[in-house]
Amino acid sequence: MSDSNTTEFTNPSTFILLGIPGLEAVHVWISIPFCTMYTIAVLGNFTILFIVKKEPSLHGPMYYFLCMLAITDLVLYTSTMPKILAIFWFNSREINFSGCLTQMYFIHCFSVMESGILVAMALDRYVAICHPLRYSTMLTNPVVVKIGLAVVLRSGMVVLPYPFLVRQWPYCTTNLIPNPYCMHIAVAKLACADTHVSNYYGLFVTFCVIGLDGIFITVSYTQILRAIFSLPTKDARLKTFETCGSHLCVILAFYIPRLFISLMYRFARNVPLHFHVLIANVYLFMPPMLNPIIYGVRTKQIRDRLLRLFTHKGA
């Protein structure tokens, strides 16, 4: 092996994103579902923001958190999907070092932020169902703002070490990333240094941040279900459960793919690389697309406002 292939360089000028390795010949066809998801996510989340802004009856804590979720999904898509489509359509695979670190930060930051928003929404449903008489006094607008700021600050600070850890490593032999975007674990594998600290920190974020979020949501819904089943009539139970049905669907859409891909990376060693990459993309991009659909279909206030909007335009 030549010296040029093994020379270490602290900060490579560019990384090469391979897209879906092994499926380069069908990148154009793969781009169709990606572009469709992008279009649905952008239109759906902007529609949620527009409806909540225009409808005074939706100016409440649950819908403020829903708007935060929509903004988070839009940023997550916008920071990744244009580059992915450029790879699929124009074979534009280069990304400079700083751009890769920025994209990495946005992906992980807003993924953690989405988890935090789901916790905030679980808290909202817990107070609304278990302490309905205190709902308006407990979740006031200042409290909602503080919760939102806490979610944003937590995600920003927790993910901040990622780009700093990646920047300090030396790199050698290759700058090829077998993904269509920059993920922390994918870049870490290219380093010619001991990356145990980074790996342990990644596990800390997964289990002690997102894992604790999942535990908090589970505890909240345990209390919510106890309160629902203690109601005297079946109609009352169904009506109350419907108020948190959309949130439950969004939680499942977020956590189930994450659990599946985590297990797959650890135990499915013989699975082809392109399948790993495709599943990782499904995990990252499916929830932001499904969230506005779930809330648009299952939330009566949003559904009615949307129908009035189209009826008014039709008239």
Side-chain angles (χ1 to χ4, degrees):
M1 186 178 291
S2 66
D3 293 339
S4 61
N5 288 335
T6 58
T7 301
E8 296 184 358
F9 47 100
T10 304
N11 291 346
S13 59
T14 60
F15 285 113
I16 306 298
L17 300 171
L18 297 182
I20 313 294
L23 298 179
E24 290 85 355
V26 292
H27 269 177
V28 173
W29 295 105
I30 295 174
S31 71
I32 295 174
F34 277 77
C35 187
T36 302
M37 287 192 296
Y38 186 32
T39 303
I40 293 173
V42 170
L43 292 177
N45 284 296
F46 269 119
T47 300
I48 293 290
L49 292 172
F50 175 79
I51 289 175
V52 173
K53 183 178 184 298
K54 290 294 185 180
E55 184 59 51
S57 65
L58 300 181
H59 293 177
M62 183 176 75
Y63 297 102
Y64 293 150
F65 291 137
L66 179 57
C67 287
M68 286 185 61
L69 187 66
I71 293 170
T72 299
D73 290 340
L74 286 169
V75 174
L76 188 60
Y77 254 95
T78 305
S79 63
T80 53
M81 193 59 76
K83 181 61 180 177
I84 292 173
L85 293 177
I87 294 170
F88 290 161
W89 290 342
F90 310 114
N91 201 32
S92 175
R93 303 189 298 171
E94 288 191 359
I95 183 170
N96 64 53
F97 186 74
S98 297
C100 185
L101 296 189
T102 302
Q103 188 185 66
M104 176 200 305
Y105 180 80
F106 271 81
I107 290 172
H108 291 286
C109 177
F110 283 88
S111 293
V112 173
M113 194 179 300
E114 183 160 354
S115 179
I117 293 169
L118 293 178
V119 172
M121 297 173 83
L123 174 64
D124 171 85
R125 292 298 84 201
Y126 167 76
V127 176
I129 293 172
C130 298
H131 304 283
L133 298 179
R134 300 169 59 190
Y135 181 78
S136 59
T137 57
M138 291 179 67
L139 288 179
T140 60
N141 285 344
V143 171
V144 171
V145 170
K146 290 176 183 177
I147 292 174
L149 286 175
V151 169
V152 172
L153 289 175
R154 185 194 71 154
S155 57
M157 293 176 66
V158 163
V159 177
L160 194 59
Y162 279 165
F164 285 102
L165 287 169
V166 169
R167 183 178 287 277
Q168 72 179 0
W169 296 327
Y171 295 86
C172 60
T173 69
T174 184
N175 61 345
L176 303 177
I177 299 176
N179 278 290
Y181 48 79
C182 291
M183 290 285 284
H184 173 252
I185 190 171
V187 178
K189 289 180 178 179
L190 304 182
C192 298
D194 186 356
T195 60
H196 281 91
V197 172
S198 182
N199 293 335
Y200 291 145
Y201 188 74
L203 289 173
F204 165 78
V205 172
T206 300
F207 291 105
C208 295
V209 178
I210 297 177
L212 285 177
D213 288 352
I215 292 172
F216 185 89
I217 291 171
T218 301
V219 171
S220 297
Y221 268 94
T222 300
Q223 298 300 316
I224 288 170
L225 291 174
R226 286 179 61 186
I228 289 175
F229 286 120
S230 67
L231 294 173
T233 65
K234 182 179 179 180
D235 288 342
R237 290 194 291 268
L238 287 174
K239 186 175 180 180
T240 306
F241 185 77
E242 285 178 359
T243 64
C244 56
S246 299
H247 184 231
L248 269 177
C249 292
V250 168
I251 290 170
L252 294 175
F254 180 81
Y255 282 102
I256 287 179
R258 175 179 286 274
L259 176 63
F260 179 75
I261 195 172
S262 178
L263 293 173
M264 187 182 71
Y265 268 112
R266 283 163 176 77
F267 301 112
R269 303 289 184 179
N270 297 324
V271 174
L273 177 61
H274 65 263
F275 185 78
H276 277 282
V277 176
L278 282 172
I279 293 298
N281 280 275
V282 169
Y283 147 69
L284 187 64
F285 297 120
M286 191 65 74
M289 181 197 72
L290 291 177
N291 292 345
I293 296 174
I294 291 170
Y295 273 97
V297 171
R298 292 189 58 87
T299 306
K300 185 177 185 299
Q301 294 92 324
I302 294 177
R303 187 172 65 247
D304 290 347
R305 184 66 176 84
L306 191 60
L307 288 173
R308 289 206 307 272
L309 181 66
F310 283 109
T311 303
H312 178 71
K313 284 187 175 182

